[in-house]
Amino acid sequence: MPLATRHDVFIRFFPQAPAFRWRQIEREFFAVPKKTWAHLLTLPREMRTQLAVRVPWVSYTQSEVFSSKKKDTYKAVLTLVDGARVETVLMANARDQWTICVSSQVGCAMACTFCATGKMGFTRNLSSDEIVDQYRFWRYYLAQHPDLPKRISNVVFMGMGEPMANYDQVKRAVQTWLEFTDLGRTRITVSTVGFLPRLEKLIDDPDWPHVRLAVSLHSADGTTRKEIVPTSYDDFLARLRTWAQNYLKKYGQGRHHLTFEYVMLSDVNDTDMHAKKLARFVNQIGKVRVNLIPYNFTDGKFAKSRETQIIAFKKILEDAGVTVTVRKTMGDDIAAACGQLITQKS
Ligand code: SAH
């Protein structure tokens, strides 16, 4: 269970407060430089003093920041009020702005074999505040570092955890960013292992904010996928295909994007046979982009695909008409790259 949110506490203590009050407060949470309750002079004094006692201004108590040698990637370890620790990453993007990578859980229960977070197991879900505050943390950080570009233009749920296993809190966090920041729907990406019951739910959920989705496919061969993604099962690919067709039928006309992520593991899922199967799978669905992720080392079991094989794999997809990109690896010198996020359990 995630912790109670700031809003839950507000409602408990001020059930009669008009709705605009909370929105007024939430807007202040995003103001830079960082404010505190004492700055909120437009609130009734009684409310301000009560809230100052009961609601921490931010949901982390400590932070530690590591920067890559190239100064293009920063990783923060945030300690939460119960002592749990999560990681969030700030990465320079092609527009000379920042993309932040956020966590949705402490640890992860999905146990993907190539992922460091998968190995630490699951501790708990993050509350929507704890997700939202990873963005606030970096905003405050940038406000204190005038030498760095200011704008966070993108958010990706590619930190620790499986966002679809924490659906309600992730949804609330995304809604909050859409309302109180300049992030638009096409600038937020939720990345999922392919938790189908929730993916099916979001198609019909009137409150789901239709941001971009990325599904961590990693293989269009059923046997290979089951080997590397233990939450996979026999008819996973068939169900995912049907889901993706339905999703695109409903939302594919807009500027929404569906991406398949594909971590490239040498001789495991990167052969020509795998590329052909992937091309066929994508072409059965339609407008899906494939993002090849060079494997970031986590332990001795897997090796990164050879550069020549990544190029060959990409070419097979392109020749079959599939849109494909290769992700740039960043922050691996501070263990801030995809799949390297791990914090000690307290
Ligand atoms: N649970 C979500 C978010 C995970 S992290 C998901 O499964 O999508 C974001 C991406 O990094 C996922 O595609 C994940 O499979 C990938 N990843 C995990 N470990 C990795 C590693 N060691 N090297 C490269 N990518 C990795």
Side-chain angles (χ1 to χ4, degrees):
M1 277 290 286
L3 306 176
T5 63
R6 298 185 272 259
H7 185 244
D8 296 338
V9 177
F10 179 77
I11 295 295
R12 187 162 355 117
F13 288 94
F14 301 99
Q16 314 295 344
F20 76 85
R21 276 286 176 225
W22 183 251
R23 297 190 64 243
Q24 181 187 8
I25 293 167
E26 252 187 328
R27 201 168 302 118
E28 299 287 2
F29 286 144
F30 289 91
V32 285
K34 189 176 175 180
K35 294 191 174 177
T36 64
W37 290 109
H39 291 105
L40 271 58
L41 297 171
T42 50
L43 288 187
R45 177 199 282 269
E46 165 66 8
M47 184 183 275
R48 187 170 71 234
T49 40
Q50 281 275 339
L51 288 174
V53 175
R54 302 188 189 283
V55 181
W57 190 254
V58 291
S59 53
Y60 46 87
T61 54
Q62 271 183 56
S63 61
E64 204 180 345
V65 176
F66 305 85
S67 110
S68 67
K69 275 200 199 74
K70 282 198 249 161
K71 301 272 178 207
D72 59 357
T73 307
Y74 298 78
K75 174 172 87 170
V77 180
L78 304 181
T79 304
L80 307 174
V81 289
D82 64 348
R85 280 148 41 107
V86 287
E87 301 190 352
T88 174
V89 180
L90 178 77
M91 296 166 284
N93 63 32
R95 285 182 291 274
D96 232 4
Q97 296 170 341
W98 299 100
T99 295
I100 63 169
C101 177
V102 297
S103 296
S104 56
Q105 300 181 312
V106 183
C108 186
M110 300 298 128
C112 296
T113 52
F114 46 82
C115 176
T117 309
K119 290 192 183 66
M120 71 181 267
F122 174 69
T123 302
R124 70 168 171 88
N125 281 329
L126 294 180
S127 69
S128 55
D129 294 340
E130 291 166 333
I131 299 171
V132 162
D133 287 0
Q134 296 171 56
Y135 171 97
R136 291 174 63 211
F137 174 81
W138 289 121
R139 282 272 293 168
Y140 298 147
Y141 183 84
L142 293 172
Q144 288 173 337
H145 292 80
D147 47 319
L148 298 175
K150 285 277 91 47
R151 182 156 184 245
I152 297 170
S153 62
N154 295 67
V155 175
V156 296
F157 276 87
M158 296 186 190
M160 305 166 88
E162 168 47 44
M164 284 291 132
N166 190 15
Y167 185 92
D168 291 331
Q169 301 298 317
V170 166
K171 175 162 109 178
R172 206 149 141 182
V174 171
Q175 286 166 340
T176 304
W177 287 325
L178 289 173
E179 183 165 0
F180 295 100
T181 75
D182 60 356
L183 292 164
R185 285 167 190 254
T186 59
R187 296 305 185 89
I188 300 174
T189 301
V190 174
S191 175
T192 170
V193 72
F195 201 137
L196 280 165
R198 298 287 162 78
L199 287 172
E200 280 156 4
K201 175 176 166 175
L202 75 74
I203 288 192
D204 297 317
D205 179 352
D207 298 326
W208 176 261
H210 281 283
V211 293
R212 287 187 171 166
L213 283 178
V215 176
S216 293
L217 184 64
H218 306 320
S219 184
D221 173 71
T223 311
T224 310
R225 191 171 198 275
K226 275 207 305 193
E227 275 166 23
I228 56 180
V229 180
T231 52
S232 207
Y233 38 86
D234 283 342
D235 61 349
F236 174 82
L237 290 170
R239 279 185 59 190
L240 177 69
R241 180 171 54 219
T242 306
W243 172 82
Q245 288 162 343
N246 291 336
Y247 176 79
L248 289 177
K249 206 179 294 162
K250 198 153 175 193
Y251 302 106
Q253 306 316 313
R255 289 171 64 215
H256 303 105
H257 258 297
L258 181 60
T259 299
F260 287 154
E261 292 164 278
Y262 200 102
V263 58
M264 299 289 288
L265 305 169
S266 184
D267 297 327
V268 173
N269 66 351
D270 72 343
T271 69
D272 292 1
M273 176 279 279
H274 287 102
K276 286 175 196 153
K277 281 204 170 173
L278 176 58
R280 196 173 326 129
F281 186 71
V282 170
N283 283 330
Q284 286 165 342
I285 297 169
K287 215 171 87 184
V288 184
R289 191 167 62 104
V290 171
N291 191 212
L292 303 176
I293 315 176
Y295 168 64
N296 299 308
F297 187 76
T298 56
D299 69 12
K301 203 166 157 205
F302 296 104
K304 197 176 180 151
S305 297
R306 284 179 303 279
E307 194 64 41
T308 48
Q309 189 53 29
I310 297 181
I311 294 166
F313 196 95
K314 183 167 182 258
K315 180 151 194 326
I316 292 173
L317 291 168
E318 283 169 346
D319 288 349
V322 175
T323 304
V324 43
T325 48
V326 180
R327 183 175 303 166
K328 195 170 138 210
T329 300
M330 296 174 77
D332 50 347
D333 59 335
I334 50 166
C338 275
Q340 292 184 320
L341 299 186
I342 183 163
T343 49
Q344 299 301 321
K345 282 192 190 182
S346 56

